[in-house]
Amino acid sequence: MPMTGPTSMAAVVECVPNFSEGRRKEVVDKIVYSIQSAPGIKVLNVEMDPDHNRLVVTFTGNRENVQEGAFRGARAASELIDLNKHKGQHPRMGALDVLPFVPISGVTLEDCVEIANKVGARIAKELKIPVYLYESAAKKPERANLENVRRGEFEGLRVAILTDESKYPDYGPRMLHPTAGAVAVGARMPLIAFNVNLKSTDVKIAKEIAKKIRASNGGLPKVKALGFALEARGMVQVSMNLTDYTVTPIAKVFEAIAKEADGKGVEIAESEIIGLVPLDAVCDLAAKYLKIGQFSSDQVLERRIWG
Amino acid sequence: MPMTGPTSMAAVVECVPNFSEGRRKEVVDKIVYSIQSAPGIKVLNVEMDPDHNRLVVTFTGNRENVQEGAFRGARAASELIDLNKHKGQHPRMGALDVLPFVPISGVTLEDCVEIANKVGARIAKELKIPVYLYESAAKKPERANLENVRRGEFEGLRVAILTDESKYPDYGPRMLHPTAGAVAVGARMPLIAFNVNLKSTDVKIAKEIAKKIRASNGGLPKVKALGFALEARGMVQVSMNLTDYTVTPIAKVFEAIAKEADGKGVEIAESEIIGLVPLDAVCDLAAKYLKIGQFSSDQVLERRIWG
C-alpha cells in the first residue's frame, strides 16, 4: 500500500532576524536572497525600515534548514554591513543584531533553545562574532532581557566587552567584530497581540483591568496589558501582548477580563486578534467554546494537507 | 525586494474517489500510484475494505492537478477492474464508482461543480464510460441523491441505460462500459461529524433534541442528527453530520442544542468532533468565543507557511 494513514507533521521553526540595514535596497535584497538560498526555507515577510535603518525578515524552516538559513543571513550581513557607518533610531549592537527562534509546530521552546545554541556557536566560530544568548536561551538570568544585553550598543560594547566580565559573550571572542559587532541569539514563544474592547467610555476602567491582569502587577503570567480609550468608537480597550499562550491561553485572559468587567458592571463589546496567531491557540478557543475535552490541531483538515 | 508580504494562498480541492476493488492489493497499489503520478497531488488516506470489496482514496491538489489525478485514477480503474467479476456488500455501478470533489481552501462549491463537469466530460470522452452528475453537481434534481443514481447497480443499469430515458447519462455513451460500468461524479462540502453529550441517562431527551434540530424534521438546514445512549459513560448523545458548515456553522448547532437542553433542565457535558474539520470552521468557533467580528483563517500563522 503506498500510504495507509495521514502523513506525519513537519516540524516548523520560525526565525525573525533583525539586521542593521533599512536603507540600501541592494544590501537588503542580498541578505534576503542569502537566507532563501538555504534549502527548505520559506520567507514569509520582509520589513525594511529606513527610519530605524533596520531590516526584519520572518522566515520558517525545519530544525536543520532554519539553522542554515539563519547562518547564511548572519554571514551575508557580516560581509555587507559596517556598523561603524550605521545610523538609525533603533538601538543595535550588530550587523545581524538579534536572532530569535520561535517554535510553531512539532517543536518545543526547548528545541529552539538548542537551535539558538547551535547557530550561536557556529556564528561565533566561523564568523568570529561574539554571541549573547537572550530570552529563553539566556544562560545568565540578566540576559533574558534583550535591553540588558544590548545596553551600550555597538559603540559602548566595544570597550565593555574587553574589560567588564558581565559583558563576556556566551560564545566567541571577547571582542567585538570590527564591522559586524555582536549578535543576540535567542528563543521565545510566538507573540499574540490581543485586544478586548469594552462598552464604556471611561478609560480608567480599561486601565484598572489592564493593571489587574498583567504579569508585572502579579496578574496572569506572560501577559502584558495596557488600557486605552478608543474615542472614535466610543469604547475603551484592554490592549495586550501574550508572550506565551501555552502558559496563559487566550481563553483564560478573555475570561479574566470578562470577570473584572462584570464586577465593574461593564460589558465586553468585542475582541481583536492583531496579526498572526498560532493554530494551536485557535484550536484551544474552539475547544473551549464547544466544551471539547480532546481537540488537537491534528484534526484540522488543512494541517493534513500542508503540515 | 525579494518579498514584501505574505504569500498568496494556494487553492486546495479534496477528491475522495471510491473504487470497486478492496481485495487485490496489487490493483489497489496501481490505482493509488496512478493518482499520485499526477503533479502536485497529496494522498492523505487510503482505505482498502475487503468486505465491501471497495477502495476509498482521499487526495488533494489545486484546481488543475486534482482533475488530472482523478482522471488517472479513473483510467487505471477502467484498465484493472472488471465489474463482471466483482462481488461485495457495497452497492456499486462502476470500476471507479463515485468521484466527489470537495472545496477545502481558496475554492468554492461552485468551482468543484465545474471541476466535476470537466473531469466527467473527459472520462466520458476518453474512456467511453457514461457519467452521472450527483449531489451539488446534479443537473437533474433526482440525481442529487446518489442512491437514485446507483439504483439497479452495474447489472441492472446495463439494460436500463439503453431503454429508460431517466437513466441516460449526463456525459458519454448511452450504454455501460463493458467492464468499467458507469461513474457518478459530484461536488459536495466537507462533512463534519459532531456530537454533543448531555448530562442525562434518558435517551429520549437526546432523541427529542435530535429530532428538533435536524433538517429532515424542519430544523437546521444541512444537519443530520440522531439521539443515542452512551451507557458506559452515563450520558446521552446527540450525534450529527453537518453537511455544509457554511450554511449551518458548528456554533449555531451547539447553541441550538444548548437551548433545547436548557429547556429540558439538562446540562451539556462536552462535545466531540470526530475526524477532520476544516480550518475555517475552527476559526469561526474561536471568533464566537472571543466575540471577534473579523477573524479570518488567513490570520493563522501556519496557513502563511503551508497555504
Side-chain angles (χ1 to χ4, degrees), chain A:
Chain A
M1 195 90 85
M3 276 200 50
T4 51
T7 51
S8 65
M9 304 302 154
V12 178
V13 181
E14 188 183 61
C15 182
V16 193
N18 290 215
F19 300 91
S20 296
E21 178 58 67
R23 292 173 190 165
R24 293 178 297 163
K25 192 181 168 303
E26 70 283 6
V27 171
V28 167
D29 281 356
K30 280 188 183 172
I31 290 170
V32 177
Y33 284 133
S34 73
I35 293 169
Q36 281 178 322
S37 74
I41 292 298
K42 183 151 186 174
V43 174
L44 301 184
N45 203 41
V46 174
E47 273 183 55
M48 178 178 170
D49 182 335
D51 294 326
H52 286 168
N53 199 3
R54 198 168 175 85
L55 165 68
V56 180
V57 182
T58 306
F59 69 93
T60 60
N62 67 18
R63 284 183 181 79
E64 288 72 37
N65 296 337
V66 79
Q67 293 178 44
E68 184 62 28
F71 178 78
R72 291 189 189 187
R75 186 173 56 197
S78 74
E79 292 164 356
L80 298 166
I81 298 171
D82 180 354
L83 268 202
N84 299 286
K85 298 174 184 167
H86 178 272
K87 293 251 180 310
Q89 290 173 27
H90 201 287
R92 83 288 177 267
M93 65 180 188
L96 167 56
D97 192 51
V98 296
L99 182 66
F101 294 92
V102 183
I104 301 299
S105 169
V107 286
T108 63
L109 184 59
E110 289 68 39
D111 294 331
C112 287
V113 169
E114 192 187 324
I115 288 167
N117 273 275
K118 284 185 183 170
V119 175
R122 186 174 173 200
I123 289 172
K125 189 178 175 206
E126 297 188 29
L127 306 178
K128 319 288 181 215
I129 297 173
V131 168
Y132 298 90
L133 295 170
Y134 80 106
E135 287 217 14
S136 295
K139 291 185 177 178
K140 301 182 177 177
E142 68 275 17
R143 290 187 184 173
N145 187 340
L146 179 63
E147 279 174 44
N148 292 338
V149 174
R150 202 159 49 190
R151 192 164 292 129
E153 300 190 44
F154 177 68
E155 292 74 9
L157 276 170
R158 231 178 341 204
V159 178
I161 194 175
L162 301 172
T163 56
D164 179 352
E165 203 169 326
S166 77
K167 291 292 184 183
Y168 288 176
D170 293 296
Y171 291 111
R174 286 183 189 166
M175 56 178 292
L176 289 197
H177 185 285
T179 55
V183 56
V185 181
R188 61 166 173 81
M189 289 296 290
L191 288 183
I192 299 173
F194 177 53
N195 300 329
V196 176
N197 301 338
L198 306 172
K199 288 183 185 171
S200 167
T201 52
D202 183 359
V203 72
K204 267 189 203 160
I205 290 176
K207 286 181 187 294
E208 282 169 13
I209 294 176
K211 194 173 170 185
K212 184 81 188 251
I213 63 157
R214 69 187 166 218
S216 62
N217 287 95
L220 298 167
K222 308 291 181 182
V223 174
K224 298 176 179 177
L226 291 169
F228 293 107
L230 301 179
E231 280 168 25
R233 295 158 78 183
M235 296 192 286
V236 294
Q237 179 175 80
V238 183
S239 178
M240 290 162 286
N241 271 318
L242 315 186
T243 60
D244 189 342
Y245 70 93
T246 63
V247 172
T248 302
I250 303 175
K252 193 165 183 179
V253 175
F254 184 77
E255 294 307 320
I257 293 175
K259 194 183 154 201
E260 292 298 325
D262 195 51
K264 295 174 189 295
V266 172
E267 267 183 80
I268 289 177
E270 59 178 12
S271 302
E272 304 167 349
I273 291 177
I274 309 296
L276 300 184
V277 57
L279 178 60
D280 280 340
V282 178
C283 289
D284 179 63
L285 291 164
K288 276 274 179 191
Y289 184 77
L290 297 179
K291 302 183 182 177
I292 299 182
Q294 297 282 327
F295 180 67
S296 156
S297 61
D298 290 352
Q299 284 185 257
V300 175
L301 211 160
E302 281 86 343
R303 190 162 178 180
R304 300 291 177 109
I305 300 167
W306 294 331

